[in-house]
Amino acid sequence: MMRLLNLLLLSAVCAWGFGCSSSIETEPQSELNVLLKKIEQAVDPDGVGRNIRTMRFSATSELVEQKIKIQTVITYRFPNEIKEQVRIGEFMEVTNIYDGKNGTEITKGMGVRALSEAEMNSKKFEVMSSNPQLPFDDIFDEIILAPEKAMINGKPCYHLTGKPLKSLGLSPVQMYFDAETYRMARQDFIAPTAMGNVPMSTDTYDYRKIDGLYVSLKATSKFLGTTMNTVIEKVELNPSLGPDEFQVPDEDD
Amino acid sequence: MIKTIFCLLALFGSVLLAGEISREHAQAVLDEIYGEIGKRHFDVDFAEKYRKHYLKHQPAILNAPNDGELATALNRMLEDFGDSHLMVQPPLSAAAQEATRQLEVKDGSSAIRPNPPLTGSGIDVLETGEGILIWRVEADSAAAKAGLKSGMAIQHILGYEITPTEGTEWFPIVRQLADMTAPDGLVYMNVSDGAEVTPVQFEAGPVKKQMVHFPGGPSLRGGYYSELRDDGIGYICFDWFTQEMIQLVRRDIRGKLKDAEGLIIDLRGNGGGLFHSIDWLASWTVPQKVTFGSLKITQIPLKLSSTPQPRGFKKKLAVIIDKNTFSSAEIFAAGIQDAGAGKIYGTTSGGQCLPSIFLTLPSGFRLQTIMGEETRSSGERIEKNGVTPDVKIEATAAGLAVGIDGPVEKAAADLLAAAEK
């Protein structure tokens, strides 16, 4: 379970938003394109996203029923690199590094594992979907707007189905955006892990403006019968990163 | 396995929970427990199929006078479910936990109390057809000073008479009692060397066994032992599958056992533990990728596989199991057997093998519950069937008394023969 947990946790904590740069102005003003524009503006009303090159989130999560605390730090250097560090209670410390070509998981004191192709594609998607410079149509091959709004946590939401770039081989993502604020309320997706594909649902809320960007600071994720609450404690935009930030460290002793 | 271990732990908790409770409270806790188990149980028809047990036990549960008795009544219902890894413990406040440590409990026949961490008798026990035997005696321990030796059979300990009894799992009970004392601070035992029964009493002393911690669950005593035998075979034995234990395996595989001619992993008495440790144990001890059957959680199929480590052990592996090998330890043994990655020695394992988690419920009751189903690569379930060894062999009291542990010697001989080839 703990193995799965750390694999899924990363997906859960990463699921707070999508890119916000707009490249759809030249497209016909369909209902979908108007909606996407509003969604992008809801995240980045001042257009600060285009200047973001690196990003770091620090979060604390709790497995509700098990009362286990989890610390997570996720660092991005766009367009390709991501490092995810997870400490589960006193029991386990796992780091995943993906540099755009290779992916490695290091479990402290235990060993090193190369990420599978599916896991690396998932990392690639995580970096893309967190990149404030990328528009929706650089992340998805196709986005479909459901004709009816869905009720999520008592609020009407637009329901979009995003089909990730075919080259990534990932399952479609179900996204629900609040019809009033245009901010993401829920995301359902299949997380590829070393043990197989796991369905996951993450509700995002408590959006705050940080350095011009609206970021969800709280999330509740459900997977494999488990509920996890996450609080984003620190958001750093354009933090200074060393050249070896995404290098795989030597095996520790 | 954890269930049996909780039996004694629960003894301490229950006496602190003598406050009266209402039938409404008991009903609410029953529904909470039943609902939580049903949410994660591998049988999608759980609510319907297990309802008869709910109805059978409901009257006794509703009549429980306090939370301690309520937990006991709930556990009787869970036993009827017939699945392993189901256990309820009553709420235990921080104050109660502190009081528990200092409490002396009367169970009608004996009074016992747990030793502080890092103190105890210093013996490891083994269950064979000859009873509960002393397996190892820690050098310089209280037991060693009292004259206890490998191969002696424990017939009586701290008021408990160890006799074959239908349905009683004596091994985990004796293992726990060996780390407890009477209120006067002494350990009382009757041991037999085959010829005569000797009463022994001694004060508990320092021991090497540490407390190991399970995420969201209990802390239990656990030991790790390794050596490079004189014949060049590496030997590793540990009580629980935890991160700490696997780190010690990794240390030894890269250190004192790196040039061993073969490796024995002795899982007799191993109660299992963290699922996550299974793959890492194989990653360090088997040069090929091993897949540990199929795990289904909330009907989602998953597979756990090892990642052979560059500095991992490269030679032949043998695994020893017995009827007190449970859970993650069984999954490991089955995976090795199914992958042809090593030979299994000993006796059929305990067959208690369902993935589980520990929950603290809103009522404060603590629940260990099944979260899925495990099947081995062949499609068979380990639960209720156990793992059947390739070579059936058991330690004997006479052998242990002269330093010969049958399964270890047989495995070592086979590994050496394979190495010579």
Side-chain angles (χ1 to χ4, degrees), chain A residues 28-56:
Chain A
Q29 291 295 301
S30 67
E31 187 186 359
L32 174 62
N33 285 340
V34 170
L35 175 61
L36 292 178
K37 180 78 178 166
K38 286 179 176 172
I39 289 170
E40 290 165 356
Q41 284 177 341
V43 174
D44 184 10
D46 307 323
V48 299
R50 69 175 69 95
N51 299 319
I52 294 173
R53 302 285 179 269
T54 62
M55 197 154 72
R56 180 179 283 143

Side-chain angles (χ1 to χ4, degrees), chain A residues 1-4 6 64-68 88 90-94 105-114 193-199 223-227 251-253, chain B residues 36 39-40 213-216 242-244 246-247 250 254 274-277 279-280 284 295 297-298 300-305 307-309 311 356-361 371:
Chain A
M1 179 59 182
M2 299 307 281
R3 180 160 197 55
L4 264 178
N6 80 64
V64 175
E65 297 95 342
Q66 294 153 285
K67 314 282 184 230
I68 296 174
I88 304 171
E90 297 299 313
F91 303 101
M92 192 182 296
E93 199 173 322
V94 182
E105 177 189 271
I106 305 118
T107 306
K108 191 173 182 186
M110 302 288 262
V112 176
R113 181 178 72 83
T193 76
M195 294 180 67
N197 291 332
V198 177
F223 49 91
L224 299 175
T226 298
T227 303
E251 191 187 355
D252 65 292
D253 287 309
Chain B
E36 286 295 335
K39 259 203 285 194
R40 297 173 177 80
H213 309 286
F214 292 90
T242 65
Q243 178 114 349
E244 295 98 317
I246 306 306
Q247 286 177 358
R250 172 179 177 261
R254 302 193 309 175
L274 301 184
F275 189 70
H276 167 68
S277 305
D279 56 332
W280 281 118
W284 282 102
L295 175 72
I297 298 178
T298 57
I300 307 296
L302 301 163
K303 282 190 187 302
L304 181 71
S305 300
T307 307
Q309 297 295 294
R311 293 172 66 188
S356 70
I357 50 171
F358 297 95
L359 307 174
T360 301
L361 304 176
M371 56 179 288

Side-chain angles (χ1 to χ4, degrees), chain A residues 74-240:
Chain A
I74 304 178
T75 308
Y76 303 90
R77 181 157 57 202
F78 302 117
N80 293 320
E81 294 163 294
I82 180 170
K83 178 165 78 174
E84 303 157 313
Q85 297 160 282
V86 179
R87 177 189 281 271
I88 304 171
E90 297 299 313
F91 303 101
M92 192 182 296
E93 199 173 322
V94 182
T95 302
N96 276 11
I97 296 176
Y98 174 68
D99 65 3
K101 288 180 185 167
N102 300 303
T104 307
E105 177 189 271
I106 305 118
T107 306
K108 191 173 182 186
M110 302 288 262
V112 176
R113 181 178 72 83
L115 298 184
S116 67
E117 193 180 342
E119 289 175 281
M120 284 198 286
N121 283 338
S122 176
K123 298 290 165 221
K124 202 178 286 182
F125 182 72
E126 282 173 24
V127 183
M128 291 168 75
S129 58
S130 300
N131 186 349
Q133 298 175 46
L134 282 190
F136 274 103
D137 48 6
D138 276 9
I139 302 169
F140 296 105
D141 275 339
E142 188 183 2
I143 299 175
I144 300 162
L145 172 62
E148 302 292 330
K149 290 191 181 73
M151 292 300 286
I152 303 292
N153 298 323
K155 290 189 171 180
C157 289
Y158 293 103
H159 175 190
L160 300 181
T161 301
K163 295 183 178 173
L165 301 183
K166 201 174 177 183
S167 59
L168 298 178
L170 299 172
S171 302
V173 181
Q174 306 300 323
M175 299 168 284
Y176 301 86
F177 292 89
D178 188 310
E180 196 177 314
T181 64
Y182 298 100
R183 292 185 187 124
M184 183 179 278
R186 177 173 293 172
Q187 189 186 165
D188 297 336
F189 60 103
I190 309 285
T193 76
M195 294 180 67
N197 291 332
V198 177
M200 169 174 280
S201 180
T202 298
D203 288 1
T204 44
Y205 45 98
D206 192 19
Y207 282 83
R208 305 281 178 89
K209 195 174 187 182
I210 295 172
D211 294 340
L213 213 58
Y214 278 93
V215 180
S216 157
L217 295 188
K218 289 184 181 166
T220 298
S221 302
K222 294 188 175 173
F223 49 91
L224 299 175
T226 298
T227 303
M228 182 174 75
N229 288 332
T230 298
V231 176
I232 309 295
E233 290 169 331
K234 195 173 176 188
V235 179
E236 298 166 83
L237 302 180
N238 286 324
S240 170

Side-chain angles (χ1 to χ4, degrees), chain B residues 25-41 46 54 61 67 70-79 81 86-91 359-370:
Chain B
H25 169 76
Q27 180 66 57
V29 174
L30 168 62
D31 288 338
E32 183 184 44
I33 298 280
Y34 194 74
E36 286 295 335
I37 295 171
K39 259 203 285 194
R40 297 173 177 80
H41 199 274
F46 171 86
Y54 175 106
I61 289 168
D67 277 344
L70 177 54
T72 303
L74 287 162
N75 280 318
R76 287 200 186 105
M77 176 182 75
L78 301 189
E79 276 177 29
F81 286 3
L86 288 172
M87 177 73 193
V88 176
Q89 278 194 286
L359 307 174
T360 301
L361 304 176
S363 64
F365 274 74
R366 293 159 296 159
L367 173 68
Q368 182 188 14
T369 188
I370 302 161

Side-chain angles (χ1 to χ4, degrees), chain B residues 118-160:
Chain B
L118 294 175
T119 60
S121 61
I123 60 168
D124 263 335
V125 293
L126 194 63
E127 185 174 6
T128 74
E130 296 173 275
I132 305 291
L133 306 179
I134 295 177
W135 188 12
R136 297 193 187 93
V137 182
E138 216 176 87
D140 300 323
S141 65
K145 288 171 188 163
L148 294 185
K149 292 188 171 63
S150 298
M152 287 178 164
I154 298 176
Q155 298 194 332
H156 199 271
I157 178 168
L158 290 170
Y160 289 82

Side-chain angles (χ1 to χ4, degrees), chain B residues 8 12 112-125 138 141-143 154 157-158 172-182 186-187 189 202 204-211 220-223 239-240:
Chain B
L8 288 176
F12 296 105
I112 50 173
R113 67 181 184 191
N115 285 312
L118 294 175
T119 60
S121 61
I123 60 168
D124 263 335
V125 293
E138 216 176 87
S141 65
I154 298 176
I157 178 168
L158 290 170
I173 294 172
V174 173
R175 184 148 80 167
Q176 281 195 88
L177 288 172
D179 283 318
M180 294 182 178
T181 65
L186 296 178
V187 180
M189 286 187 200
F202 57 90
V207 291
K208 288 181 185 155
K209 285 204 177 193
Q210 306 276 336
M211 298 305 286
L220 301 166
R221 283 173 187 260
D239 292 332
W240 301 104

